[in-house]
């Protein structure tokens, strides 16, 4: 099992970097969408660790993404943009986002269900307000002129790493604890599992990858505005996880791909996009609350 | 200094009264169904829009800026929103009654987004901000250095009346007793002959009507109305409900007033106004950490 996963990881990274060299041959518009898909896979899979595998409903993922994006972008803006600084910038962004995850996780994980959802929403909003008022991060206008360093190879290579890390973690002996906490917290703690530690771990790891995705996003779009990381952004990621089926890695990846491409296909009816989105959520919850791409056993 | 203090006090009370009205809806629904009705803030927005469209024709019949026009518009808007609230419950929440709470929560977010984005569509309300018609003749009352808007006083008095009416309905009427019974134990209430579906429907209707009134009051004080106007006061009101102890009616009123005052005072201080948006959430996080049951709530231990 483990050998197969490693092989997938290697193949994924090699394919990503290999295709990246040929990316000049593709249409820039399509290439941009494909990179978006890679970034969204990172976001959805990392949120899936929190929401799906560990069962802690978080509505603040865009906040962690914002932290990673701003930190990474500020670093490349200050130190000058080069391929050598990009990886450290991404890692730093992820690291600071992970710290934010720790700061959010430790106090709020004593709460459950809808309370947790509201508190994470609140933290996401507070993070946004901080960026919006901070002159250092460009206040309401945000950061502009970020060098576009994100390539196909970076986005999909890191997406492969994310999927690998999350899948291996959840399938490891340690990682069974996440699922135990998800299934029954009280029974899990009776078995000697510390639910709070698992929840915080899930938050920190999830936030780390969200931060990486934020860094990729910043260096893909070239601009960052605080309003881009609002509640709606968090909801978009949550919908990917719900649509794919909470705790189903393959389903969530599929959902991330579809939900990124779908709006581009729906350009003609862009004004209905969010209406369709919300009806999708309601319809899904009424008919298939377990998600769309959930075939066979977990 | 005292003038500044009194001025902020009045502003804070008027804002807090509106939060309290919205918070009552959250807390009543939480009381009977144990879930956060995310769409509540959008019902409030619909209330403001109902008044926006109703005011010109009603004013044509009963006269511009008269008390009767205001009363009829408020009552009609409340009735419309009550029907909308009951419909939402019937279509989206009732089929999910026995499902996990998280499923219902996600559905509620879906309903909320649906109302917001349908409202933003140009064929419905449009995304642009509209100026809200003057319902009442508004007069500035000047006492020394104090500027009071007559609207603020109307809002305060009407809120107090509505809060008293709510207390009467819940504590002194038969249907209120049934609401409390459903909140305490749904199954036992059903066995005692309470029509649980009817009571839940009634609760949604009542909460939505209050939200509509709050929406109109909010619109009267705000520069304009738009389909997303409900989000911020809605979140604040939810926080107010948690602050007072969710499921607890006097708690919701108290939480609303406290939150309105804190926000106005902190927001009015120099240097802090930029962080005004964050204050409510900071309060929420503090209250959940130190007194998760809220100011007036009782802590319930979870049984295995």
């Amino acid at each position: 099992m483990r050998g197969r996963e490693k092989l997938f990881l290697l193949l994924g990274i090699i394919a990503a970097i290999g295709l990246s060299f040929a990316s000049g041959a593709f249409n820039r518009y399509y290439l941009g969408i494909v990179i978006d898909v890679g970034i969204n896979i990172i976001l959805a899979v990392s949120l899936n660790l929190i929401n799906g595998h560990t069962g802690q409903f978080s509505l603040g993922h865009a906040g962690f993404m914002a932290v990673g994006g701003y930190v990474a972008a500020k670093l490349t803006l200050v130190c000058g943009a080069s391929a050598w600084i990009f990886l450290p910038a991404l890692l730093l962004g992820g690291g600071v986002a992970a710290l934010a995850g720790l700061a959010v996780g430790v106090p709020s994980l004593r709460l459950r269900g809808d309370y947790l959802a509201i508190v994470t929403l609140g933290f996401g909003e507070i993070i946004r307000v901080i960026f919006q008022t901070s002159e250092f991060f460009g206040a309401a206008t945000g950061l502009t002129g970020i060098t576009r360093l994100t390539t196909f190879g970076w986005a999909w290579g890191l997406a492969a790493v994310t999927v690998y890390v999350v899948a291996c973690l959840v399938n490891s002996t340690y990682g069974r604890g996440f699922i135990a906490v998800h299934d029954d917290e009280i029974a899990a703690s009776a078995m000697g599992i510390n639910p709070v530690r698992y929840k915080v771990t899930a938050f920190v790891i999830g936030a780390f990858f969200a931060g990486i995705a934020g860094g990729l996003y910043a260096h893909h779009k070239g601009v960052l505005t605080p309003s881009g990381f609002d509640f709606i952004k968090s909801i978009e990621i949550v919908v990917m996880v719900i649509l794919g089926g909470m705790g189903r890695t393959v389903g969530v990846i599929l959902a991330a791909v579809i939900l990124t491409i779908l709006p581009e296909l729906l350009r003609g009816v862009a004004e209905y996009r969010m209406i369709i989105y919300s009806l999708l959520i309601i319809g899904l919850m009424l008919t298939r609350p377990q998600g769309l791409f959930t075939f066979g056993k977990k | 200094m005292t003038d500044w203090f009194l001025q902020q006090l009045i502003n804070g009370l008027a804002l807090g009264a509106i939060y309290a009205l919205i918070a009552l809806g959250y807390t009543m629904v939480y009381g009977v169904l144990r879930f956060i009705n995310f769409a509540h803030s959008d019902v409030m927005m619909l209330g403001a829009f109902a008044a926006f469209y109703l005011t010109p024709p009603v004013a044509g019949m009963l006269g511009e800026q008269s008390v009767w026009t205001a009363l009829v518009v408020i009552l009609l808007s409340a009735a419309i929103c009550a029907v909308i609230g009951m419909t939402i419950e019937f279509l989206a929440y009732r089929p999910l009654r026995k499902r996990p709470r998280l499923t219902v929560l996600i559905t509620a977010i879906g309903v909320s987004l649906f109302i917001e984005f349908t409202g933003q569509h140009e064929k419905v309300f449009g995304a642009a901000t509209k100026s809200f018609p003057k319902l009442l003749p508004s007069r500035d009352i000047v006492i020394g250095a104090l500027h009071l808007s007559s609207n603020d006083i109307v809002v305060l008095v009407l809120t107090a009346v509505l809060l008293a009416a709510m207390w009467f309905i819940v504590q002194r009427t038969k249907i209120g007793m049934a609401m409390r019974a459903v909140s305490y134990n749904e199954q036992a209430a059903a066995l005692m002959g309470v029509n649980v579906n009817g009571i839940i429907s009634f609760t949604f209707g009542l909460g939505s009507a209050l939200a509509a009134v709050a929406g109109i009051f909010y619109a009267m004080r705000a520069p304009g109305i738009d389909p997303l106007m409900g989000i911020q006061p809605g979140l604040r009101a939810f926080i107010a409900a948690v602050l007072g102890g969710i499921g607890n009616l006097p708690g919701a009123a108290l939480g609303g007033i406290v939150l309105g005052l804190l926000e106005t005072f902190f927001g009015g201080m120099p240097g802090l106004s930029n962080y005004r948006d964050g204050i409510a959430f900071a309060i929420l996080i503090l209250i959940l950490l130190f007194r998760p049951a809220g100011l007036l709530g009782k802590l319930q231990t979870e049984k295995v």
Side-chain angles (χ1 to χ4, degrees):
Chain A
M1 189 69 192
R2 191 56 47 85
R4 220 183 69 188
E5 278 163 355
K6 272 207 180 99
L7 194 67
F8 271 126
L9 172 72
L10 274 176
L11 281 178
I13 294 178
I14 290 169
I17 295 173
L19 278 171
S20 192
F21 280 113
S23 64
F26 295 116
N27 178 322
R28 279 186 64 93
Y29 170 69
Y30 291 127
L31 191 68
I33 296 173
V34 174
I35 292 174
D36 278 338
V37 171
I39 294 171
N40 281 338
I41 289 178
I42 301 178
L43 286 170
V45 169
S46 61
L47 183 67
N48 191 30
L49 178 66
I50 305 173
N51 280 22
H53 295 301
T54 321
Q56 304 304 307
F57 199 73
S58 164
L59 283 175
H61 220 52
F64 300 135
M65 186 189 170
V67 171
Y70 269 101
V71 170
K74 196 72 201 178
L75 191 74
T76 59
L77 279 174
V78 171
C79 299
S82 74
W84 296 112
I85 200 104
F86 192 37
L87 188 63
L90 288 178
L91 289 176
L92 184 73
V96 178
L99 281 179
L102 190 68
V104 175
V106 170
S108 57
L109 287 173
R110 291 161 49 184
L111 311 162
R112 286 172 203 192
D114 31 15
Y115 277 106
L116 181 68
I118 289 286
V119 169
T120 49
L121 193 169
F123 268 114
E125 288 289 295
I126 289 177
I127 289 174
R128 195 174 58 81
V129 169
I130 290 174
F131 282 122
Q132 208 160 342
T133 45
S134 151
E135 287 296 328
F136 183 67
F137 287 110
T141 33
L143 298 176
T144 50
I146 306 161
T147 316
R148 300 184 181 213
L149 291 167
T150 304
T151 59
F152 180 84
W154 280 113
W156 281 77
L158 287 170
V161 172
T162 311
V163 173
Y164 174 76
V165 170
V166 171
C168 283
L169 187 67
V170 172
N171 288 327
S172 67
T173 317
Y174 180 81
R176 292 291 165 195
F178 293 114
I179 296 158
V181 170
H182 169 267
D183 288 344
D184 191 331
E185 222 180 293
I186 295 167
S189 57
M191 290 297 165
I193 286 169
N194 181 350
V196 173
R197 216 175 92 199
Y198 272 92
K199 288 189 212 170
V200 173
T201 310
F203 252 84
V204 170
I205 296 172
F208 174 77
F209 283 111
I212 297 253
L216 286 169
Y217 178 85
H219 293 87
H220 175 43
K221 301 290 178 195
V223 284
L224 280 183
T225 49
S227 56
F229 298 104
D230 59 0
F231 178 49
I232 302 287
K233 182 73 196 172
S234 293
I235 291 285
E236 276 178 24
I237 311 169
V238 169
V239 172
M240 287 173 194
V241 174
I242 296 167
L243 191 77
M246 298 230 204
R248 310 285 186 115
T249 309
V250 179
V252 167
I253 295 172
L254 270 177
V257 175
I258 291 173
L259 284 178
T260 320
I261 297 174
L262 200 64
E264 303 297 332
L265 296 179
L266 292 177
R267 285 249 154 193
V269 285
E271 52 202 310
Y272 296 104
R273 196 183 75 130
M274 286 309 289
I275 302 178
I276 296 171
Y277 225 85
S278 49
L279 284 176
L280 196 71
I281 304 179
I282 303 170
L284 210 60
M285 284 299 110
L286 289 172
T287 53
R288 261 188 91 86
Q290 71 273 42
L292 217 50
F293 310 116
T294 43
F295 313 107
K297 280 171 82 180
K298 219 181 218 176
Chain B
M1 190 63 199
T2 41
D3 281 342
W4 179 84
F5 185 83
L6 280 174
Q7 186 78 58
Q8 300 289 25
L9 187 72
I10 300 283
N11 289 344
L13 279 177
L15 185 66
I18 295 171
Y19 287 161
L21 279 182
I22 312 173
L24 278 181
Y26 276 115
T27 224
M28 282 197 301
V29 166
Y30 194 92
V32 290
L33 284 183
R34 302 260 175 270
F35 92 101
I36 302 163
N37 181 14
F38 256 91
H40 191 65
S41 58
D42 302 297
V43 173
M44 173 208 149
M45 174 274 289
L46 290 176
F49 269 93
F52 173 79
Y53 287 111
L54 281 171
T55 305
V58 175
M61 279 183 280
L62 296 168
E64 296 267 338
Q65 296 190 17
S66 77
V67 178
W68 290 112
T69 310
L71 206 61
V72 169
V73 166
I74 288 175
L75 284 178
L76 279 178
S77 308
I80 291 171
C81 282
V83 172
I84 293 173
M86 283 149 116
T87 314
I88 293 173
E89 192 270 329
F90 183 78
L91 290 179
Y93 303 152
R94 187 166 299 180
L96 298 171
R97 194 76 55 79
K98 298 271 175 273
R99 299 267 189 83
R101 268 157 60 186
L102 213 52
T103 311
V104 192
L105 181 75
I106 298 166
T107 314
I109 295 174
V111 173
S112 165
L113 290 178
F114 176 71
I115 299 176
E116 282 161 20
F117 285 98
T118 310
Q120 274 178 301
H121 193 266
E122 57 189 9
K123 291 195 183 94
V124 188
F125 303 140
T129 306
K130 292 182 169 59
S131 69
F132 194 70
K134 278 201 164 51
L135 266 180
L136 285 170
S138 111
R139 226 169 260 135
D140 275 343
I141 303 160
V142 182
I143 310 168
L146 277 184
H147 286 267
L148 304 181
S149 159
S150 60
N151 277 346
D152 282 352
I153 296 166
V154 172
V155 167
L156 271 176
V157 171
L158 269 180
T159 306
V161 171
L162 282 172
L163 289 179
M166 268 324 107
W167 180 85
F168 181 81
I169 291 176
V170 173
Q171 297 293 336
R172 288 285 181 273
T173 63
K174 205 168 171 185
I175 196 157
M177 197 200 280
M179 279 167 75
R180 282 183 285 142
V182 171
S183 162
Y184 196 74
N185 188 333
E186 196 183 307
Q187 272 180 326
L191 289 172
M192 295 300 128
V194 173
N195 175 359
V196 174
N197 279 337
I199 292 299
I200 290 175
S201 222
F202 176 76
T203 310
F204 264 85
L206 201 60
S208 304
L210 287 179
V213 178
I216 296 171
F217 289 168
Y218 190 78
M220 278 161 66
R221 301 180 83 244
I225 58 173
D226 66 86
L228 299 181
M229 64 176 269
I231 299 178
Q232 290 304 329
L235 280 172
R236 305 285 200 284
F238 171 75
I239 292 168
V242 174
L243 179 63
I246 195 146
N248 181 312
L249 289 186
L254 178 73
I257 301 282
V258 170
L259 191 65
L261 286 174
L262 283 176
E263 233 184 45
T264 317
F265 276 106
F266 278 107
M269 279 179 200
L272 280 174
S273 54
N274 281 343
Y275 291 94
R276 198 185 154 132
D277 284 346
I279 290 167
F281 288 107
I283 293 172
L284 172 75
I285 289 158
L286 288 178
I287 195 91
L288 285 176
L289 288 180
F290 294 108
R291 211 179 143 75
L295 294 175
L296 299 182
K298 281 195 207 96
L299 198 62
Q300 283 176 340
T301 46
E302 190 162 335
K303 289 176 196 146
V304 183

